[in-house]
Amino acid sequence: MEHQQHSACVRAAAWLTAVEALATDLLRLGHDHTLRRTVRFACGNFGLLLLDLANKQLVPEVLKRMVEITMARGAQCGGVVSYVPVSSSSKGEEDDQRVGVRSRVVNGKRTDLSELLLAKFRRDHAFRPAPNSPYFVQGHTRFATSSKVTFNGTHPHQWNSPRLYALWTGFHNGIYRSSQASVENFVTHNGDLDFVKIHGTWHDVSDVMNWLERVFDVPMPSSTDSVGFAGMMDLLRTQGLMFQSVRVAYHLGEDEEESGLSKALCRGAASGSLQYDVPPRSSMEEIAGVLDKAFMEFVTTHEEMSQNGKVIVNTRSGRDLWKISQSEMSGTLKKVNVQSKRGYRQSLVTHMAEALRQSCVSKGKDEVFESCGSVPIEDEETDIKKTRLYFFVREVVYAFFEYDLFTALRMFMKNARGSFGVCVSSSVDANRQVALASRGQTISIAFYPRLGMVLWGSELAATKAALGLGDEPIVPISSDRHPSEAWGNLIARRLDLDDTGGEVCLLDFSADANRLPSVSRINHALKVHTPLEGVRMLLQEEELLKFGALSKRMLPLEDNPLITPLPIASQMDRRDLVAKDIRDLPYVLKTIRSDFEDSSSLNSMSMWTLRKALTTRIIGKSSVSSDDDRADVFRARNTVDVIITGCEVSLWLAEQFQSDLSYVYPQLSIRSISANKLLGMLGQSIPTLGLGSTCPQEATWNIADAVVLIVTHSGGTFPSLAVAKLMPNYTKHVFAITSDWDTEVGRQLRSKNCGEDWQDIEFASRIFTSHAGLRFAEPCSLTVAAIHQVLTEILLNLMYFTRPPNDEDGELASLGTNQVHKLGQELRTVLGASHSARDISNLYASNKANIVAISQITGSGDGGNNVVEKALRGKGAAWAKHVLESPKSWLICAAYIIITVTWGKPLVTGVLANVPQVFEPGSQHGGAVYRVSLFVDAIIYLFCAQWSVLLLRVFEGRPLLHRLAGGRSVVIGDIPWVAQSVEAYLSKLFAVAYSAASIHVYSGNPWDHLVHRHTHRVVRGVLLAVGRPDGRIAAHSNAEASACLSLSQASSIQSLGGTCESLTVGHNRFQLPLSAHAVALPDRRTVGGPLYLCEKALEQDVRVKRVQEARSAARSSSSKKNSMKKATTQQASSEIDMVKETSRSPASLVGFFSGLKGKKFEAITDIHAYAMKMREDMKSFSGLTSRHLASGILALVEGETIVQWSDLDVERCSMVLQETRFDSMQRCVSFFVMFHEMAKCVADFWRNISLGLLGYSIHRTHSIMRVATTACPVSGMEVRERQKFLAFSRQWNMVTHRIRNAIVEYKVIKRAKSYASLGTRTPDGSVHGEDDARRKSLSRSSTGSLPPVEGTGARRNSNPSVSFVAPAAERDTSLSSNEEPGEP
């Protein structure tokens, strides 16, 4: 009957929802409910708990910010669940029953997921009562990793639909009540579920899900692994639910045999297999009914538990009544041993078991328990406590009392393998609790006491969404006090759950703030925290990391100089986030440079730590006992000093930095490697094979105490984050470059390095920040340039630290003190550095000028000089016309067809019909002319697309011979990091473009494989963009010649007289004959950059030629006076002209610099002599004053240095780095500006032509995944186990190391005593005493402060050991005199 009433209510609610949908969507009638009006959700795990309903007006803004931030994790589909009251007349917590309302959508290619989800959420919450007490919203959007993107695979997940059950409450206060309640559980899970352990056996998630399908007798909702998570929570969350308790006891219950071993109650599961028969649901329900009735009888028949006819238990005695031991849960899904108090638990189990046996005997139904008892149930003479039926009921009772939401999540996390960022909720607990867990995936919780609000999410920045919304002032912090002490309870703080060791959190927000959290007795040993009023929090750390006081873990979010507030973009910026990133480029780069110049900044402190780590690594490695040992160390081929790692763009930047660092320090062993490869080799029990590439498995790198630099803009990329967790087990010198101090990678490094005192964190700074902050555009522009600038600053700081001891010319005087650091000089010597003071001075000047050049390229210069930017955007708009010719042609064809068909006559026929006497009068079909006109019109219709394109090209002034069919291909040629970055950037700009106006993007290295890889793709109309190094710098003249040759070879491939349309970008203004366009970037002379000696040589050559031309003209002219005046006027020309004059063809530059080799400028000497002769003959030129002569000819030699080729070597290092650190960066930004304009014009065309209906955003892609936060593709589920193993190995090696040293010391002392007693000399020729022997022994064992982790330590007399350690059982742990210290 009750079930029928419930179904009627559901039908009524469905009709009301349909009516509301028509009212809101069709008639635009809304309802003033803050919760359902403003909730927007996007990518990742996130949620909001509102305690103070007075601040409900802040919910829209907070959720909007969270949406914008969490979209970085992907937005292919999304969903949200909230719990609404069953009735708006609930007066107490026990009456406040809630039901879940889930809204899910699948995103389209160009639709906005947040808008779709908001509309669905409004429809689903129509006519629902709004909560009048604290409530929370739980959301998630998905980037598919284990299955296709489907509606059923969209979070939040649940396996079992809501259903009415008998629910017992009152476990927190001992007053038990029974009522009917709708039970449903929801899970939002970020990560991957791989295995679940049941009865001691690990099962694959697919097998577990098939087993759950039979357990629940409900079809699998989806094949997504997170659905299996939801099913396990449905199975484990049983407190107060007798049916669920019976079910979990049958399938997961265990019993201890006399031998002390555990055995599954279900005989089918005892074998470890999940393929056993499952009893029907009706039998389970009947058993649950019997036990539920027996429980009611038991609590009502005891006088001390009955009062006024209510089933109650005194609060104080209730805490002792069901007291259990606080032992940790075992490794399988089973209960913790229960120690009964006064026999109540045992009496209850006995009573319920007897009742169940009597019921089964009376009804003759014992087949259900055939596997649960070794004796027949109807044998009443058997002691009930000796039957498996008793053990079964004991499991039921335990699950009934103890398996609440928090315990269920703890049990699952204990027995699951994978990566988890989880939020779990239940309709039974929705008015008081929500549970969170983190392992392998991040979860952070922010508390806002002044707002009465709690935020949680997978993204750290999402928890800052409520910053700045409070009106109350913040108490200033005292410099000598911890923030938690200075701010008290007013400050907003954040807790980051331990995603390395694993941590489970319970947020209890029940109405009674004075009581303990409503948790089972097993969790009472955990400390209760009160982060803000109205919220009690329990934390259970799984293992590995053990934290101290909670106050030391809470990070202040307000009035904290290290916390960057969220960016607030204007409405115009939101329309084009890529343009905003480009405009912000100069400011961010200037901020980075100023930050490194400030000695008190975070980057400067991190730089100091990095220099110290490198010095410790390099100088310590070279400081061995003898020269032979030192040579052996440096001859070790596999010893790695520096490892630079990252993913995609970050990796490309790291590879270029590795190349530059190796060039400056030839003896420094540097490796750059993908974070995925590093994770696959060091973070897996079965290492991933490095097929086709160099990786630690092949080279067996020795990385003990190496300096590791992790490059990741977001700070949350899955492989980079996993490496940040793993590498501290191999070396303590781990650094990271991120966009902000407050990132996941930064948090991991801080947790490894910060001291007991919170102020010590600045002295262990290992985080470099690019100050780019949170960026929402997926095409990477600003982030690439900012990371590149940080790497440049690091390189310049290292070069200055290792500067030459002598600076006779004062090149470094402008950079500050010229005091040379002793360690820097030693480091310079050991690493073989040869850069000069002039190199450092040139690079610092270039660094400053680079920002001015970037300002001009992006159009944000202070002087408004936007010539370069306009040129770049003009080329981008021109190429956009190529891309848009297909849709424009279609519009022309459509207009022609519509007009002619509507008119009723084709074009030619219609025109000729109006000409008299053209068609034959009286003819039935108009005669032959009429037929010919129809034929011509048919041809026009047939080739409508072709002639419309040609007509469009003529009108727009574009080449006519480009291909007429197919999408355009864009090929980008430049040095690897530029070409790859621009390729990724341009591909993402056109990721959601319509197929009629899409492009294909390729990239290549013009100095290597561009010709080999892409010349076969050269057809008429291919767009080729090549970046040219500045060949006016001697070190890059050949490089420019090679790049230009590649472009010329590609452009020489012609068909029908047409070829590709090529464009060059570079600082040399010379345009190649075969290139269609050339964009010249700002010259260093115009932006304050250095002028290299080779460029001065070019200028001297230009001046020589000018004087020679003037000299020839003067000799041949009848008026020497006028000729000399003309020559002097030419010499007074501006530097802008000199820039133009020095821009030559690559071949001529190569020839010029080759001609300098090994000889002086004889021509300059000749000019000097000629000038002296002219001075003597001044009297013959009465009209030519000395001022003219001084400003003319003599200016060629006055103050100039005669340059030799050997002089150019002084600047060779700076010339090389000028290209890789500055010129290439300017070309990269130029491509960003140009292709942004190209993509913007294409997107604006669709928006304008369709009045906004076909508009799309160029700053997003289909998947909307800016940050890969799940396995991509290497799994990180074993990182935790590897960390535990490495930590154990380190401890083991430390112990064995000390034991061996003691043994060696004992043997040496004993041997020395024997020699001393005999009065003989030792083999090394000296007489040792005991003290000498001891000192020698200690010196031999003091090469390092701690022994290395096994598999990473260097061995001087053998090959470096592999970085992966075999199991302890496979290793020989015996001690022998031949073994090296540190090796078991």
Side-chain angles (χ1 to χ4, degrees):
M1 188 66 179
E2 293 179 355
H3 182 69
Q4 294 177 354
Q5 293 176 355
H6 179 69
S7 300
C9 293
V10 172
R11 288 194 297 270
W15 280 105
L16 291 175
T17 300
V19 172
E20 191 274 341
L22 292 175
T24 56
D25 297 347
L26 183 62
L27 303 179
R28 302 295 182 186
L29 300 178
H31 301 274
D32 188 15
H33 292 285
T34 302
L35 178 62
R36 61 173 174 266
R37 182 179 67 245
T38 57
V39 178
R40 299 180 65 187
F41 296 89
C43 180
N45 257 325
F46 67 95
L48 180 147
L49 168 61
L50 183 63
L51 302 171
D52 188 358
L53 298 182
N55 290 323
K56 63 182 180 181
Q57 73 279 1
L58 300 178
V59 172
E61 181 65 21
V62 172
L63 290 179
K64 181 179 180 181
R65 293 185 181 185
M66 296 186 76
V67 166
E68 295 173 346
I69 297 166
T70 53
M71 286 183 67
R73 291 173 168 257
Q76 296 174 339
C77 57
V80 62
V81 63
S82 62
Y83 294 88
V84 298
V86 175
S87 173
S88 59
S89 60
S90 301
K91 297 181 179 180
E93 182 178 312
E94 302 296 339
D95 297 325
D96 188 11
Q97 295 187 8
R98 302 188 183 186
V99 294
V101 179
R102 177 174 56 168
S103 306
R104 297 186 295 175
V105 295
V106 176
N107 196 18
K109 183 174 183 178
R110 300 175 185 89
T111 55
D112 190 333
L113 178 64
S114 60
E115 294 180 0
L116 295 177
L117 191 55
L118 176 61
K120 183 68 164 57
F121 188 73
R122 286 175 173 173
R123 293 194 299 269
D124 292 343
H125 283 74
F127 303 105
R128 301 256 187 195
N132 53 10
S133 60
Y135 64 87
F136 68 90
V137 184
Q138 174 186 355
H140 182 279
T141 55
R142 181 182 179 222
F143 179 82
T145 58
S146 60
S147 61
K148 294 181 180 180
V149 179
T150 61
F151 181 80
N152 290 333
T154 304
H155 294 246
H157 282 304
Q158 68 173 177
W159 190 298
N160 293 283
S161 302
R163 190 166 182 171
L164 290 175
Y165 292 97
L167 173 65
W168 285 88
T169 58
F171 295 94
H172 63 284
N173 57 12
I175 303 177
Y176 295 95
R177 299 180 58 185
S178 179
S179 61
Q180 293 289 318
S182 176
V183 178
E184 55 182 331
N185 306 313
F186 288 100
V187 169
T188 53
H189 169 218
N190 181 40
D192 299 286
L193 173 61
D194 299 308
F195 302 97
V196 179
K197 184 164 64 173
I198 300 176
H199 295 304
T201 303
W202 288 103
H203 299 275
D204 184 75
V205 63
S206 58
D207 297 333
V208 173
M209 293 175 69
N210 292 329
W211 171 68
L212 289 173
E213 195 172 30
R214 293 184 292 107
V215 168
F216 296 134
D217 195 20
V218 174
M220 189 185 306
S222 172
S223 59
T224 307
D225 58 342
S226 298
V227 173
F229 196 145
M232 290 302 299
M233 293 308 300
D234 284 347
L235 184 62
L236 293 173
R237 196 321 182 179
T238 62
Q239 187 186 59
L241 300 167
M242 193 62 74
F243 171 77
Q244 282 81 351
S245 300
V246 170
R247 184 174 58 193
V248 74
Y250 181 84
H251 294 288
L252 300 180
E254 295 186 357
D255 178 41
E256 294 185 0
E257 298 179 337
E258 295 181 358
S259 60
L261 300 177
S262 297
K263 184 178 181 180
L265 285 170
C266 178
R267 290 179 178 175
S271 62
S273 172
L274 299 180
Q275 301 299 323
Y276 59 87
D277 295 333
V278 177
R281 180 183 178 91
S282 58
S283 299
M284 293 282 188
E285 291 178 342
E286 188 171 355
I287 295 171
V290 173
L291 296 181
D292 190 81
K293 182 178 179 181
F295 175 71
M296 173 68 75
E297 293 175 352
F298 178 81
V299 296
T300 55
T301 53
H302 290 73
E303 295 181 359
E304 67 273 20
M305 301 178 63
S306 178
Q307 179 179 343
N308 299 329
K310 296 182 179 180
V311 182
I312 64 171
V313 176
N314 179 269
T315 303
R316 177 172 299 178
S317 61
R319 294 189 182 277
D320 298 331
L321 181 62
W322 311 113
K323 185 175 179 61
I324 64 173
S325 67
Q326 304 300 338
S327 59
E328 179 61 29
M329 286 181 293
S330 62
T332 57
L333 289 173
K334 67 175 185 178
K335 70 174 184 64
V336 186
N337 292 331
V338 177
Q339 301 294 333
S340 61
K341 181 83 170 186
R342 294 181 296 179
Y344 279 115
R345 177 66 65 91
Q346 184 177 359
S347 300
L348 175 62
V349 173
T350 303
H351 175 78
M352 295 175 67
E354 286 287 358
L356 182 58
R357 181 164 66 173
Q358 293 297 330
S359 175
C360 292
V361 169
S362 62
K363 297 181 179 181
K365 295 183 177 180
D366 62 340
E367 63 275 5
V368 177
F369 298 100
E370 182 178 356
S371 60
C372 294
S374 57
V375 297
I377 294 178
E378 60 268 20
D379 188 358
E380 300 183 9
E381 297 180 357
T382 305
D383 185 2
I384 189 65
K385 295 182 180 180
K386 296 181 179 180
T387 63
R388 285 188 172 268
L389 179 61
Y390 176 85
F391 301 142
F392 168 77
V393 175
R394 188 181 66 179
E395 294 287 328
V396 173
V397 171
Y398 187 82
F400 182 78
F401 279 95
E402 307 301 338
Y403 289 179
D404 59 0
L405 187 67
F406 187 44
T407 304
L409 184 56
R410 286 182 59 186
M411 295 173 65
F412 176 81
M413 294 292 291
K414 187 79 174 179
N415 297 273
R417 292 185 65 181
S419 56
F420 306 98
V422 181
C423 179
V424 179
S425 62
S426 175
S427 60
V428 176
D429 310 301
N431 61 339
R432 55 192 175 91
Q433 288 180 350
V434 62
L436 305 166
S438 174
R439 188 207 299 158
Q441 291 288 340
T442 56
I443 289 289
S444 299
I445 311 169
F447 303 92
Y448 293 86
R450 294 180 295 118
L451 302 179
M453 188 179 298
V454 180
L455 306 181
W456 66 83
S458 300
E459 287 290 323
L460 289 179
T463 61
K464 299 189 289 187
L467 285 179
L469 298 182
D471 297 329
E472 300 180 17
I474 302 299
V475 180
I477 181 174
S478 175
S479 59
D480 58 345
R481 300 177 63 190
H482 191 278
S484 62
E485 300 175 359
W487 288 312
N489 294 326
L490 291 178
I491 197 68
R493 294 171 293 178
R494 189 187 71 224
L495 172 67
D496 301 320
L497 298 186
D498 176 23
D499 60 308
T500 303
E503 191 168 16
V504 184
C505 173
L506 177 72
L507 297 178
D508 185 281
F509 50 93
S510 51
D512 188 359
N514 297 321
R515 78 180 191 200
L516 294 175
S518 303
V519 293
S520 59
R521 301 305 187 266
I522 189 177
N523 297 310
H524 277 191
L526 299 176
K527 184 177 180 180
V528 179
H529 306 280
T530 308
L532 76 163
E533 185 178 357
V535 175
R536 277 81 57 198
M537 180 174 63
L538 293 182
L539 297 172
Q540 189 265 327
E541 304 163 16
E542 292 187 359
E543 53 188 325
L544 194 59
L545 292 180
K546 299 299 180 182
F547 299 100
L550 181 65
S551 60
K552 295 184 178 180
R553 296 182 59 188
M554 301 289 281
L555 177 69
L557 295 180
E558 295 175 304
D559 200 20
N560 188 343
L562 299 178
I563 297 298
T564 305
L566 297 179
I568 300 177
S570 63
Q571 189 64 30
M572 185 62 66
D573 291 335
R574 294 177 188 274
R575 292 182 57 184
D576 193 351
L577 296 178
V578 180
K580 182 179 186 302
D581 287 351
I582 293 176
R583 287 197 305 270
D584 292 344
L585 252 171
Y587 170 76
V588 173
L589 298 183
K590 188 180 298 182
T591 303
I592 294 172
R593 188 172 64 86
S594 301
D595 200 45
F596 274 89
E597 292 176 352
D598 182 7
S599 59
S600 62
S601 67
L602 178 66
N603 281 335
S604 294
M605 290 185 286
S606 299
M607 192 66 231
W608 178 85
T609 309
L610 177 61
R611 290 199 305 264
K612 181 181 177 181
L614 275 174
T615 305
T616 303
R617 168 69 177 176
I618 303 303
I619 304 301
K621 184 178 72 172
S622 61
S623 300
V624 292
S625 57
S626 66
D627 294 337
D628 293 337
D629 291 337
R630 178 179 302 181
D632 290 340
V633 170
F634 280 101
R635 281 196 296 266
R637 297 177 55 189
N638 298 324
T639 300
V640 180
D641 298 323
V642 179
I643 298 177
I644 311 174
T645 185
C647 287
E648 203 212 14
V649 176
S650 299
L651 177 63
W652 303 332
L653 294 170
E655 290 172 342
Q656 183 60 59
F657 180 69
Q658 177 220 353
S659 175
D660 296 339
L661 200 61
S662 299
Y663 180 80
V664 177
Y665 302 107
Q667 299 300 325
L668 186 64
S669 177
I670 313 173
R671 300 289 187 273
S672 60
I673 184 173
S674 168
N676 268 313
K677 293 180 181 178
L678 204 57
L679 177 61
M681 301 312 302
L682 304 181
Q684 308 289 321
S685 58
I686 303 177
T688 305
L689 294 177
L691 302 177
S693 60
T694 303
C695 62
Q697 187 187 32
E698 297 176 0
T700 59
W701 294 354
N702 170 24
I703 60 176
D705 294 329
V707 177
V708 179
L709 183 60
I710 303 172
V711 184
T712 166
H713 165 76
S714 65
T717 307
F718 184 87
S720 300
L721 181 57
V723 169
K725 299 174 184 177
L726 189 64
M727 291 310 296
N729 296 281
Y730 294 90
T731 174
K732 61 181 179 180
H733 307 307
V734 182
F735 297 82
I737 301 178
T738 65
S739 62
D740 194 4
W741 180 82
D742 187 29
T743 59
E744 291 294 345
V745 169
R747 180 176 68 86
Q748 288 294 331
L749 299 185
R750 292 195 302 272
S751 66
K752 300 289 185 182
N753 295 299
C754 64
E756 293 295 330
D757 189 354
W758 70 279
Q759 294 179 346
D760 289 344
I761 191 171
E762 61 182 5
F763 301 110
S765 179
R766 303 184 185 274
I767 305 165
F768 294 94
T769 61
S770 66
H771 296 282
L774 189 64
R775 295 288 162 174
F776 301 104
E778 289 186 70
C780 298
S781 54
L782 170 63
T783 57
V784 175
I787 293 294
H788 185 78
Q789 180 68 24
V790 173
L791 292 170
T792 300
E793 296 289 348
I794 293 175
L795 180 61
L796 293 183
N797 272 269
L798 288 175
M799 292 180 66
Y800 185 78
F801 179 67
T802 57
R803 60 189 180 275
N806 298 322
D807 183 18
E808 299 176 355
D809 298 332
E811 299 282 354
L812 305 180
S814 61
L815 302 181
T817 177
N818 197 30
Q819 183 179 0
V820 179
H821 200 288
K822 181 180 179 180
L823 289 178
Q825 294 307 303
E826 188 173 355
L827 196 64
R828 174 186 177 90
T829 303
V830 172
L831 296 181
S834 60
H835 55 276
S836 64
R838 185 178 296 178
D839 285 326
I840 299 175
S841 177
N842 288 342
L843 291 176
Y844 270 89
S846 296
N847 190 26
K848 184 177 181 180
N850 180 58
I851 299 178
V852 180
I854 294 294
S855 300
Q856 296 182 10
I857 293 172
T858 58
S860 54
D862 296 334
N865 184 12
N866 299 333
V867 177
V868 179
E869 187 225 6
K870 291 179 181 178
L872 290 169
R873 293 197 176 276
K875 302 306 179 186
W879 280 16
K881 294 178 181 179
H882 292 321
V883 179
L884 288 172
E885 69 177 9
S886 293
K888 288 181 180 179
S889 170
W890 183 89
L891 290 176
I892 294 174
C893 294
Y896 176 77
I897 294 173
I898 291 174
I899 292 174
T900 55
V901 172
T902 304
W903 183 25
K905 296 180 180 179
L907 178 63
V908 177
T909 304
V911 171
L912 294 179
N914 295 324
V915 178
Q917 304 301 323
V918 173
F919 296 144
E920 298 179 9
S923 176
Q924 182 178 2
H925 298 291
V929 177
Y930 179 73
R931 293 178 180 277
V932 171
S933 66
L934 290 179
F935 175 79
V936 173
D937 284 323
I939 296 298
I940 292 176
Y941 279 118
L942 182 63
F943 295 98
C944 186
Q946 285 75 16
W947 66 256
S948 62
V949 169
L950 293 176
L951 183 64
L952 185 65
R953 290 177 180 177
V954 171
F955 178 77
E956 294 179 344
R958 295 186 292 111
L960 296 178
L961 296 179
H962 285 186
R963 269 187 159 184
L964 298 178
R968 294 281 180 161
S969 296
V970 179
V971 181
I972 302 162
D974 211 310
I975 64 175
W977 81 266
V978 174
Q980 292 169 314
S981 299
V982 176
E983 178 191 3
Y985 170 83
L986 182 57
S987 298
K988 292 181 180 180
L989 286 176
F990 281 86
V992 294
Y994 295 98
S995 59
S998 60
I999 61 175
H1000 308 284
V1001 187
Y1002 308 94
S1003 68
N1005 187 346
W1007 300 274
D1008 185 8
H1009 53 254
L1010 178 66
V1011 172
H1012 305 281
R1013 289 183 57 190
H1014 300 300
T1015 48
H1016 67 279
R1017 292 190 173 97
V1018 175
V1019 296
R1020 290 175 289 119
V1022 168
L1023 306 177
L1024 175 61
V1026 176
R1028 295 166 54 183
D1030 192 354
R1032 298 171 301 173
I1033 299 178
H1036 304 298
S1037 56
N1038 278 319
E1040 185 189 27
S1042 299
C1044 295
L1045 179 61
S1046 295
L1047 181 140
S1048 299
Q1049 289 174 337
S1051 301
S1052 63
I1053 302 175
Q1054 299 187 9
S1055 175
L1056 302 178
T1059 183
C1060 64
E1061 183 173 334
S1062 57
L1063 175 145
T1064 62
V1065 176
H1067 295 80
N1068 189 351
R1069 297 192 175 189
F1070 179 84
Q1071 182 172 349
L1072 300 176
L1074 294 182
S1075 66
H1077 313 282
V1079 178
L1081 301 183
D1083 193 88
R1084 282 182 300 281
R1085 296 173 179 84
T1086 63
V1087 295
L1091 197 64
Y1092 291 93
L1093 293 178
C1094 55
E1095 294 177 290
K1096 293 180 181 179
L1098 276 174
E1099 291 187 359
Q1100 290 175 349
D1101 185 63
V1102 170
R1103 289 176 177 137
V1104 167
K1105 290 182 178 179
R1106 286 182 178 180
V1107 172
Q1108 290 176 345
E1109 292 174 359
R1111 186 177 179 181
S1112 300
R1115 289 175 178 174
S1116 61
S1117 176
S1118 59
S1119 175
K1120 288 188 176 182
K1121 176 179 177 180
N1122 294 334
S1123 299
M1124 291 303 298
K1125 284 184 178 180
K1126 182 179 180 181
T1128 56
T1129 302
Q1130 291 177 349
Q1131 298 307 320
S1133 61
S1134 64
E1135 289 298 321
I1136 299 298
D1137 293 332
M1138 184 59 69
V1139 172
K1140 183 177 180 180
E1141 292 289 340
T1142 55
S1143 297
R1144 305 180 182 181
S1145 67
S1148 64
L1149 290 173
V1150 173
F1152 173 76
F1153 291 123
S1154 299
L1156 295 182
K1157 215 165 189 179
K1159 63 180 181 178
K1160 299 180 179 180
F1161 284 100
E1162 291 84 358
I1164 292 182
T1165 307
D1166 296 339
I1167 294 172
H1168 192 285
Y1170 175 75
M1172 294 300 101
K1173 185 176 183 300
M1174 288 294 101
R1175 178 176 293 180
E1176 296 176 357
D1177 297 338
M1178 283 182 60
K1179 295 180 180 180
S1180 62
F1181 301 100
S1182 57
L1184 187 63
T1185 65
S1186 59
R1187 179 177 59 83
H1188 290 144
L1189 189 62
S1191 62
I1193 301 176
L1194 291 184
L1196 298 176
V1197 293
E1198 295 293 338
E1200 295 290 344
T1201 303
I1202 298 179
V1203 182
Q1204 301 182 28
W1205 179 259
S1206 59
D1207 295 332
L1208 302 182
D1209 289 335
V1210 180
E1211 297 180 331
R1212 176 161 295 276
C1213 181
S1214 57
M1215 286 192 294
V1216 172
L1217 296 181
Q1218 175 70 39
E1219 159 63 22
T1220 58
R1221 305 315 306 173
F1222 305 113
D1223 291 353
S1224 61
M1225 180 181 179
Q1226 294 175 27
R1227 295 198 304 271
C1228 185
V1229 175
S1230 301
F1231 285 131
F1232 290 159
V1233 174
M1234 172 183 162
F1235 289 129
H1236 166 259
E1237 184 67 22
M1238 177 181 174
K1240 181 177 179 295
C1241 291
V1242 173
D1244 288 344
F1245 168 81
W1246 291 107
R1247 184 178 294 106
N1248 297 333
I1249 202 68
S1250 64
L1251 301 179
L1253 295 178
L1254 298 179
Y1256 63 88
S1257 299
I1258 62 175
H1259 66 263
R1260 53 156 290 186
T1261 64
H1262 185 192
S1263 61
I1264 316 181
M1265 188 188 70
R1266 299 195 304 273
V1267 183
T1269 56
T1270 55
C1272 52
V1274 181
S1275 174
M1277 69 175 183
E1278 296 182 355
V1279 170
R1280 181 167 171 261
E1281 300 300 324
R1282 289 289 299 169
Q1283 286 183 276
K1284 292 164 57 179
F1285 175 74
L1286 292 172
F1288 170 78
S1289 299
R1290 182 176 292 275
Q1291 295 177 356
W1292 174 263
N1293 290 341
M1294 182 182 298
V1295 173
T1296 56
H1297 181 77
R1298 291 176 178 176
I1299 293 175
R1300 286 188 178 85
N1301 287 340
I1303 295 175
V1304 172
E1305 180 182 355
Y1306 170 77
K1307 291 181 177 180
V1308 171
I1309 294 175
K1310 183 177 179 181
R1311 187 180 182 186
K1313 286 183 177 180
S1314 64
Y1315 280 117
S1317 63
L1318 296 176
T1320 58
R1321 293 182 177 271
T1322 58
D1324 60 359
S1326 61
V1327 178
H1328 286 281
E1330 181 177 349
D1331 294 338
D1332 295 333
R1334 183 183 300 274
R1335 282 194 299 270
K1336 180 178 179 180
S1337 174
L1338 292 177
S1339 66
R1340 292 180 57 186
S1341 62
S1342 60
T1343 56
S1345 57
L1346 286 178
V1349 177
E1350 181 178 341
T1352 63
R1355 300 168 63 186
R1356 289 190 293 240
N1357 298 323
S1358 62
N1359 292 330
S1361 54
V1362 186
S1363 298
F1364 317 101
V1365 189
E1370 300 177 7
R1371 295 177 299 185
D1372 183 11
T1373 59
S1374 61
L1375 296 178
S1376 66
S1377 59
N1378 296 327
E1379 292 178 341
E1380 294 283 340
E1383 181 179 337

